[in-house]
Amino acid sequence: MAAELRQPQDTSDQFDQIRSIASDYKYGFKDKEDYVFKSGRGLTEEIVRSISAMKNEPEWMLKFRLRALDIFRKKPMPTWGNCQLLNDIDFDNIFYYIKPSEKGEKNWEEVPEGIKQTFDRLGIPEAERKFLAGVTAQYESEVVYHSIREDLEAQGVIFLDMDSGLREHEAIVREHFSTVIPSADNKFAALNSAVWSGGSFIWVPSGVKVEIPLQAYFRINAENMGQFERTLIIAEPGSYVHYIEGCTAPVYSTDSLHSAVVELIAKKGAHIRYTTIQNWSKNVYNLVTKRAVAHEDAKVEWIDGNLGSKLTMKYPAIYLVGQRAHGEVLSVALSGNDQHQDAGAKIIHAAPNTSSTIVSKSISKDGGRASYRGLIKVYPEAKNSKSSVRCDALLLDEASRSDTYPTMEVDEKEVTIEHEATVSKVGEEQLFYLMSRGLTEAEAKAMIVNGFFEPFTKELPLEYAVELNRLIQLEMEGSVG
Amino acid sequence: MAALQPILKIEDLWVSVEGKDILKGVNLTINPGEVHAIMGRNGSGKSTLSYTLMGHPRYHINRGSILFKGEEIGDLTPDERAKKGLALAFQYPVAIPGVSVSNFLRASVKAVRGKEIPVKEFRQELKQQMALLEVKDEFLSRYINDGFSGGEKKRLEILQMTLLKPALAVLDETDSGLDIDALKVVSTGINTLATKETAILLITHYQRILNYVKPDFVHVFQSGQIVKTGGSELSEELEERGYDWVTQELTPSGVA
């Protein structure tokens, strides 16, 4: 089903609120560390074994982890993307596992005080009360809180953190886990497979439609933390689910690493919508593998917003393996000073009559760099497939950079493929026009940028759209004067 | 009238664009509530005057002054000028994709008035002005000037003027590209705008709009200057005799 239609956001109300916020990254605060367990720096087999042991995992999962560790060690760094930044990652300096509390709580009151305050500041419990059907909140390596509305639970919907998912629904997990993204897919998928912890496990029974979004919130707190959550969403035939994730971290002078693996399985006629608002602080490497399989008549949508991080490399993929499956990737990236957003999409047409749409919009400012990297692959038997790709880049100043790396591999003649790319600059005339109506330069720029992102913003639930517009305005205020 | 402070007093204004002199010594005084028309050929510098008044960054003032309500505004940014009560209806308004007309109008009105307007009150005011300008409701959810016809763009400009209620509205070729029906509607809007509180500087190439909007003063603009000033009868004379007549009158020897 389509997102609820609504009026475009009123941005004018938000100017005042924004002026009152001094810093341009308001999630940069950190908590005192008070952990149940914190691994030493660096990655060893012992750490992998102890993660598995602390979680009381079945033997097959330990074996899976150890095999992945071996793959990680053997696999070279990618030789594409921003190699310079990638090679700066010091894997020996990272904390691979931090357990903040004894167990994940279902009752908000039971969450340890300090962590609770953090999530309060991030507005998570409030959001849950207002418009969510379920929430998980992950702090460092573990989910500290999760809840789901009783009516969904009664319909058989499973929404757990991944560790609990494995404990309570081992058969379903074992059947699907890592079937979409094998450990050997890439170096960071291998790393995640070795040390994964937390993430969401969602299973929606046949025909059940979860009309209200489920949300996960990921928070890194410690310096040099590595967060490796693992998410698996399985939508049984004819079901629907919308999952939203958000992420933030404190500002540190040294780097942290976020390397998630997300697997989606949309069975016959199912529909999964996955929305991300990534707003990591600018010392976080965000290297994420996201991939979906869409079976016959299924639909998968990745709605992917990248605002934060130092380097993001993320290309949500959809394998259209059943007839008439449909895939959509709608992504935006905002790249500021010392940021590189290398994002895009991959769509594989592996069955007849499949269709896909990619819309990518990026903004570069203050010397930031945004890259679109995409792949459309059509296999020989995928007759009558259709794909349309559109990339729009907006440059706010001369120092900023935008690149496009589209790849098309089409092995079938009876297909329709469209590709369109534009690069534009914020026009002097647009600024003058808005400023002549009383808007300051920052307000005018924010308005133009928000307008540019509108095709993305209108797909978000109202509250997120407001928040996104606010974040963009903050960024614009920060970039002027 | 004479005792009042002028809304606008331009003295010996010289302006260049990219090193080229366009305005060469403009003098103009507009008192509160007056309607002035500036007429002139294309390329005579009329639009440069409007852009300079609003503070376009590419227009450089080399000499002279622009006093708005007695205060020099030559160094102010466009938004600062707007907040002082100056507004410009553009000849060629630009499109801003993704920004709805309603959001834009509210942000703009709030910025210029310097305070929040209750949603209900704003809606009411908006509906009233829209009815006057025969603008449909769906206008509000469209993106600013995006895919607008020429007539729609001009209506939106005038709609903004009526909402902003500036002390001086500069209307730059608001009549160009309008058919006769649209011209009548837009003229009604301008006449509504023209009150004791709002003076108007109407910049135009044609006499046509002055059949609907009666100016108190008509100025003929030529080669970056005002070369002749008169009452509304001057525009009729121009219509009859053409701009060459002014040129000839100014240069009795016939050398243009």
Side-chain angles (χ1 to χ4, degrees):
Chain A
M1 66 156 235
E4 196 187 338
L5 283 173
R6 56 180 180 72
Q7 288 293 310
Q9 273 316 287
D10 190 332
T11 51
S12 65
D13 289 342
Q14 293 147 18
F15 294 141
D16 293 339
Q17 291 167 284
I18 284 153
R19 286 201 193 91
S20 67
I21 301 166
S23 148
D24 70 340
Y25 184 74
K26 64 171 175 163
Y27 307 109
F29 62 89
K30 56 182 177 259
D31 304 336
K32 198 163 117 297
E33 292 185 18
D34 181 15
Y35 299 132
V36 175
F37 177 86
K38 183 174 181 176
S39 71
R41 289 178 193 267
L43 183 57
T44 60
E45 185 179 322
E46 191 199 334
I47 285 175
V48 173
R49 283 182 181 279
S50 60
I51 291 172
S52 189
M54 272 187 275
K55 292 173 183 291
N56 284 317
E57 284 179 348
E59 181 68 16
W60 66 267
M61 185 56 82
L62 174 63
K63 281 189 176 154
F64 172 85
R65 288 179 180 277
L66 292 172
R67 202 167 54 240
L69 176 65
D70 193 43
I71 294 167
F72 168 72
R73 285 176 169 163
K74 285 178 183 154
K75 254 200 182 317
M77 268 296 195
T79 52
W80 49 277
N82 194 325
C83 297
Q84 196 190 335
L85 283 181
L86 279 179
N87 289 319
D88 280 348
I89 298 174
D90 184 357
F91 288 106
D92 295 330
N93 194 42
I94 291 168
F95 295 102
Y96 286 83
Y97 181 70
I98 296 177
K99 188 176 182 177
S101 64
E102 270 312 327
K103 60 184 194 334
E105 300 293 348
K106 283 190 175 180
N107 184 342
W108 190 246
E109 297 310 311
E110 308 289 319
V111 175
E113 196 56 34
I115 298 174
K116 198 165 67 185
Q117 278 170 11
T118 292
F119 283 110
D120 274 335
R121 281 176 82 172
L122 297 168
I124 307 306
E126 194 192 342
E128 182 192 353
R129 277 195 303 275
K130 277 196 201 153
F131 60 91
L132 294 170
V135 167
T136 72
Q138 177 158 348
Y139 191 89
E140 313 294 27
S141 304
E142 295 287 348
V143 170
V144 293
Y145 169 72
H146 77 85
S147 75
I148 179 167
R149 270 179 21 178
E150 282 171 9
D151 55 326
L152 291 177
E153 213 165 17
Q155 289 178 74
V157 177
I158 301 170
F159 178 40
L160 289 169
D161 65 274
M162 194 65 226
D163 298 286
S164 303
L166 175 59
R167 265 195 311 276
E168 295 172 27
H169 304 278
E170 188 182 340
I172 304 178
V173 171
R174 193 166 187 180
E175 184 189 339
H176 298 93
F177 192 89
S178 194
T179 57
V180 183
I181 303 172
S183 306
D185 188 80
N186 65 74
K187 191 173 178 72
F188 293 93
L191 176 61
N192 174 285
S193 298
V195 296
W196 74 267
S197 182
S200 296
F201 172 66
I202 297 173
W203 184 79
V204 188
S206 290
V208 172
K209 303 206 187 310
V210 185
E211 301 289 358
I212 302 171
L214 301 172
Q215 184 190 275
Y217 198 93
F218 297 94
R219 175 76 180 172
I220 288 176
N221 181 60
E223 189 164 15
N224 306 127
M225 173 62 196
Q227 192 175 57
F228 305 98
E229 91 269 9
R230 180 105 195 178
T231 288
L232 173 61
I233 301 178
I234 303 154
E236 292 292 329
S239 66
Y240 169 74
V241 66
H242 182 190
Y243 176 82
I244 304 175
E245 63 177 359
C247 8
T248 59
V251 175
Y252 291 112
S253 56
T254 59
D255 300 328
S256 293
L257 172 61
H258 173 252
S259 192
V261 165
V262 176
E263 299 175 286
L264 311 184
I265 299 167
K267 297 191 181 173
K268 188 176 176 179
H271 179 183
I272 301 176
R273 171 177 272 225
Y274 192 109
T275 299
T276 302
I277 308 273
Q278 177 269 109
N279 188 27
W280 294 115
S281 54
K282 287 170 190 173
N283 52 298
V284 175
Y285 279 89
N286 184 45
L287 309 168
V288 171
T289 310
K290 289 183 163 166
R291 191 174 301 161
V293 171
H295 292 273
E296 200 175 315
D297 294 312
K299 181 175 175 183
V300 171
E301 298 165 287
W302 295 103
I303 314 287
D304 201 47
N306 295 296
L307 298 175
S309 83
K310 175 181 195 163
L311 170 66
T312 282
M313 288 175 71
K314 176 168 52 162
Y315 321 96
I318 305 170
Y319 282 63
L320 303 165
V321 300
Q323 288 223 34
R324 295 175 301 279
H326 177 71
E328 284 187 30
V329 181
L330 172 57
S331 68
V332 298
L334 178 62
S335 216
N337 187 24
D338 289 330
Q339 279 188 291
H340 185 180
Q341 306 282 11
D342 195 312
K346 292 183 197 173
I347 311 259
I348 313 296
H349 291 262
N353 303 306
T354 50
S355 56
S356 64
T357 309
I358 296 173
V359 176
S360 160
K361 300 181 83 82
S362 73
I363 292 173
S364 313
K365 66 179 192 74
D366 302 330
R369 180 177 173 195
S371 309
Y372 167 79
R373 200 181 295 276
L375 170 70
I376 297 288
K377 184 167 179 66
V378 184
Y379 279 98
E381 71 275 22
K383 289 189 189 311
N384 301 319
S385 289
K386 282 183 194 162
S387 179
S388 128
V389 180
R390 179 174 179 96
C391 305
D392 296 322
L394 183 65
L395 296 172
L396 295 194
D397 51 59
E398 295 297 323
S400 300
R401 178 173 167 189
S402 155
D403 337 80
T404 310
Y405 306 98
T407 306
M408 308 259 173
E409 294 173 11
V410 181
D411 300 323
E412 164 61 49
K413 280 185 186 152
E414 292 171 43
V415 294
T416 312
I417 297 193
E418 294 162 9
H419 178 93
E420 200 179 335
T422 65
V423 179
S424 52
K425 293 176 180 169
V426 165
E428 196 179 41
E429 300 310 321
Q430 287 181 324
L431 276 180
F432 178 57
Y433 186 74
L434 294 179
M435 288 175 73
S436 80
R437 298 301 185 248
L439 305 184
T440 64
E441 187 177 352
E443 288 165 348
K445 275 190 177 169
M447 189 171 265
I448 293 166
V449 166
N450 277 330
F452 181 78
F453 276 170
E454 165 74 6
F456 177 85
T457 320
K458 74 176 185 210
E459 292 300 321
L460 300 177
L462 188 72
E463 293 77 2
Y464 290 80
V466 172
E467 180 64 13
L468 187 74
N469 284 342
R470 261 164 53 80
L471 288 171
I472 289 167
Q473 264 148 10
L474 270 177
E475 286 288 334
M476 293 301 124
E477 298 264 315
S479 75
V480 177
Chain B
M1 228 24 186
L4 289 174
Q5 172 168 270
I7 281 295
L8 182 72
K9 192 171 173 64
I10 301 176
E11 283 180 322
D12 192 28
L13 185 65
W14 289 69
V15 172
S16 63
V17 181
E18 283 151 11
K20 191 171 173 239
D21 283 333
I22 309 284
L23 300 188
K24 301 166 186 170
V26 175
N27 292 289
L28 177 65
T29 300
I30 298 178
N31 290 308
E34 290 178 352
V35 176
H36 289 240
I38 287 187
M39 302 185 70
R41 285 196 183 90
N42 286 334
S44 59
K46 305 186 304 284
S47 287
T48 297
L49 179 62
S50 67
Y51 269 44
T52 304
L53 285 176
M54 203 66 233
H56 193 291
R58 254 187 301 128
Y59 293 72
H60 292 288
I61 298 174
N62 299 320
R63 212 162 91 192
S65 67
I66 306 170
L67 297 179
F68 187 74
K69 296 179 185 167
E71 187 190 345
E72 175 61 50
I73 59 166
D75 290 332
L76 300 184
T77 56
D79 55 309
E80 289 165 340
R81 298 180 196 208
K83 283 164 186 155
K84 291 197 178 296
L86 179 62
L88 167 65
F90 285 66
Q91 182 179 7
Y92 302 111
V94 291
I96 318 232
V99 180
S100 75
V101 167
S102 63
N103 281 348
F104 167 57
L105 292 180
R106 257 194 96 199
S108 163
V109 168
K110 185 186 168 189
V112 167
R113 294 189 194 168
K115 64 172 199 281
E116 188 72 61
I117 300 99
V119 178
K120 230 175 127 183
E121 197 178 299
F122 180 69
R123 284 260 145 197
Q124 248 172 4
E125 195 180 337
L126 192 55
K127 294 270 158 164
Q128 199 187 334
Q129 303 298 348
M130 284 170 69
L132 187 75
L133 291 165
E134 296 176 21
V135 168
K136 291 195 197 94
D137 270 6
E138 52 105 30
F139 212 69
L140 293 177
S141 54
R142 289 172 69 187
Y143 299 149
I144 305 170
N145 296 320
D146 200 18
F148 279 31
S149 70
E152 286 173 328
K153 285 183 186 171
K154 295 299 168 71
R155 279 175 211 221
L156 178 57
E157 291 304 290
I158 298 304
L159 177 63
Q160 292 180 61
M161 296 302 114
T162 60
L163 289 169
L164 296 175
K165 298 188 178 72
L168 174 64
V170 180
L171 312 180
D172 190 2
E173 309 246 354
T174 298
D175 53 334
S176 67
L178 295 183
D179 62 30
I180 192 71
D181 293 332
L183 182 66
K184 281 181 187 168
V185 171
V186 164
S187 299
T188 307
I190 296 172
N191 286 326
T192 316
L193 182 64
T195 57
K196 270 187 296 190
E197 286 75 38
T198 301
I200 290 183
L201 178 58
L202 183 66
I203 293 173
T204 182
H205 181 65
Y206 301 104
Q207 191 269 340
R208 201 174 59 149
I209 192 170
L210 303 181
N211 292 332
Y212 303 98
V213 179
K214 283 288 163 213
D216 301 311
F217 299 94
V218 173
H219 311 276
V220 180
F221 213 79
Q222 199 162 286
S223 308
Q225 282 181 324
I226 288 172
V227 293
K228 192 173 175 63
T229 294
S232 67
E233 74 289 345
L234 180 57
S235 72
E236 284 150 31
E237 202 161 358
L238 277 170
E239 179 73 0
E240 255 170 54
R241 304 173 69 172
Y243 289 112
D244 286 343
W245 157 69
V246 182
T247 313
Q248 281 161 11
E249 194 183 62
L250 288 172
T251 51
S253 62
V255 184

